[in-house]
Amino acid sequence: MTPTKIVILGANGQVGYELQRSLLPLGEVIALDRTQADLTQLDNLKQTLIDLKPNVIVNAAAYTAVDKAEEEQDLAMLINGEALKVIAEATKQLNALLIHYSTDYVFDGTKTEPYTEDDTPNPINVYGKTKLAGENAVIGSGCDYLLFRTSWVYSLHGHNFLKTILRFAQEREELSIVDDQIGRPTWARSIADVTVKCISQALDRIKENHFTSDLYHLSSQGDTSWYGFALEIIEQTRQKMLYNLRLKKLAPISTDQYPTLAKRPANSRLCADKLENDYNVLLPNWQHALTACISEYRD
Ligand SMILES: NC(=O)c1ccc[n+]([C@@H]2O[C@H](COP(=O)([O-])OP(=O)(O)OC[C@H]3O[C@@H](n4cnc5c(N)ncnc54)[C@H](OP(=O)(O)O)[C@@H]3O)[C@@H](O)[C@H]2O)c1
């Protein structure tokens, strides 16, 4: 039996970092950061992948600066779109399996219900457009793939909403947070753990010749707004007395009161039923995952 060799791209990101540990039970894990596999250096990138000969490539690298992308469209498209053509080509050439992540921001947010995989994407910002280009590159490549759209990713590692709120709550007495954008906060650890379960099943299905490449929504259960997420972060942190928070007032505001370079969808809830049906995996409720994440904090 060929041992499983897995290459992670974007190993220093929130998801990439968690994947390094979660993937270990599956085989040899080669974790590459930006210095070892740069998604802007397309020829080198392809050669690196071909030389390593993995059975599985997990791409956790992405241009994720949503506002900055409005001013760096070409760079964002290169990393989130063009590089995916190259990664998918290498995956096909190696007869490997590609795992790639996309975003809730491929949708315009006008739907009143959670988005399913059958809904038509209509990105309203550059980041969403570049991530959609990446999805299409993977889907059109003919390689074996699992494409996971996830949302509102947080972790104790890296830059994210959880860490920003914790920092501000230590520095400031008042904070105003947008309350009219709703979504599903998803812990990077949950994404990594579900990815492992899916890869394991996918490799078995490939061996048995009944694997189907597909797109799945992968996000926590339960909905909230950014304000609701911030409130829960503050309450859970206070209960655990982990940080010395100066914050006295957390106020809900509307999107109009907090202008940003990139527009955000008002509703970016992803329905993960298809993933549960096809792979029998269920992500935790977002508050429970947040508790588990926060409990790992060490000063
Ligand atoms: N963050 C979210 O809220 C969110 C929401 C929905 C979907 N997603 C998707 O989920 C996936 C994982 O996101 P994440 O939150 O883990 O992102 P992240 O924490 O921002 O990590 C992205 C990683 O990509 C790396 N990267 C950027 N440019 C690169 C390049 N040119 N070459 C190689 N690596 C490069 C970064 O390297 P450095 O560490 O060197 O900067 C970073 O380690 C992405 O596909 C993202 O689009 C994220």
Side-chain angles (χ1 to χ4, degrees):
M1 202 177 73
T2 329
T4 305
K5 193 191 226 188
I6 306 166
V7 165
I8 304 172
L9 300 171
N12 276 344
Q14 301 185 75
V15 174
Y17 177 82
E18 292 293 345
L19 282 167
Q20 292 184 49
R21 188 172 59 176
S22 298
L23 285 169
L24 280 176
L26 291 189
E28 184 188 359
V29 177
I30 301 167
L32 305 179
D33 64 18
R34 187 199 292 256
T35 62
Q36 296 155 307
D38 186 337
L39 269 64
T40 64
Q41 306 300 313
L42 301 184
D43 293 341
N44 290 348
L45 175 65
K46 185 163 184 191
Q47 201 52 52
T48 302
L49 293 173
I50 298 293
D51 290 348
L52 286 169
K53 298 188 180 60
N55 323 71
V56 183
I57 297 169
V58 186
N59 179 37
Y63 183 107
T64 54
V66 176
D67 289 309
K68 217 167 152 201
E70 298 294 314
E71 294 171 331
E72 292 188 335
Q73 180 154 0
D74 291 350
L75 181 61
M77 190 56 93
L78 179 59
I79 295 168
N80 293 344
E82 295 299 314
L84 264 300
K85 283 188 199 149
V86 168
I87 295 168
E89 268 169 31
T91 307
K92 193 170 179 200
Q93 202 171 315
L94 291 162
N95 208 14
L97 169 68
L98 174 60
I99 309 297
H100 177 60
Y101 301 96
S102 189
T103 173
D104 49 343
Y105 282 13
V106 296
F107 295 114
D108 61 19
T110 54
K111 192 179 175 187
T112 48
E113 297 298 309
Y115 282 94
T116 72
E117 293 81 353
D118 292 332
D119 288 316
T120 307
N122 181 30
I124 54 173
N125 59 40
V126 167
Y127 169 71
K129 285 178 188 149
T130 63
K131 291 297 291 183
L132 183 59
E135 288 186 4
N136 289 333
V138 172
I139 292 168
S141 69
C143 76
D144 281 345
Y145 68 84
L146 289 175
L147 185 43
F148 296 124
R149 283 191 191 130
T150 188
S151 63
W152 294 26
V153 181
Y154 68 89
S155 147
L156 288 179
H157 176 91
H159 304 287
N160 56 67
F161 186 79
L162 165 66
K163 296 197 45 194
T164 303
I165 291 297
L166 288 176
R167 181 162 49 80
F168 283 167
Q170 290 170 86
E171 293 168 2
R172 302 180 187 184
E173 293 197 345
E174 289 190 20
L175 262 183
S176 301
I177 306 289
V178 170
D179 195 30
D180 55 2
Q181 290 169 28
I182 50 169
R184 299 191 161 167
T186 306
W187 186 20
R189 173 82 52 84
S190 305
I191 298 171
D193 288 349
V194 164
T195 300
V196 173
K197 289 182 184 157
C198 293
I199 292 177
S200 174
Q201 292 181 53
L203 291 176
D204 286 345
R205 291 177 195 184
I206 288 169
K207 245 183 264 162
E208 294 156 8
N209 283 320
H210 63 92
F211 173 74
T212 311
S213 295
D214 216 338
L215 162 70
Y216 291 98
H217 287 178
L218 189 171
S219 64
S220 292
Q221 297 176 64
D223 313 326
T224 190
S225 66
W226 290 113
Y227 169 76
F229 188 18
L231 200 62
E232 187 71 21
I233 292 167
I234 301 296
E235 280 177 6
Q236 289 203 18
T237 307
R238 283 229 158 93
Q239 275 168 18
K240 293 204 181 320
M241 292 185 292
L242 291 173
Y243 298 81
N244 185 16
L245 303 185
R246 289 183 65 204
L247 192 74
K248 294 199 175 105
K249 187 178 169 201
L250 187 65
I253 54 168
S254 67
T255 300
D256 292 347
Q257 291 171 282
Y258 186 74
T260 50
L261 273 181
K263 277 199 219 162
R264 264 87 171 160
N267 167 31
S268 68
R269 293 172 294 158
L270 298 176
C271 168
D273 289 357
K274 181 176 162 187
L275 188 62
E276 189 189 354
N277 290 337
D278 287 7
Y279 281 87
N280 198 24
V281 289
L282 193 60
L283 272 78
N285 164 283
W286 72 269
Q287 288 106 322
H288 296 167
L290 180 65
T291 308
C293 174
I294 286 182
S295 71
E296 292 198 350
Y297 175 79
R298 302 284 175 273
D299 209 355

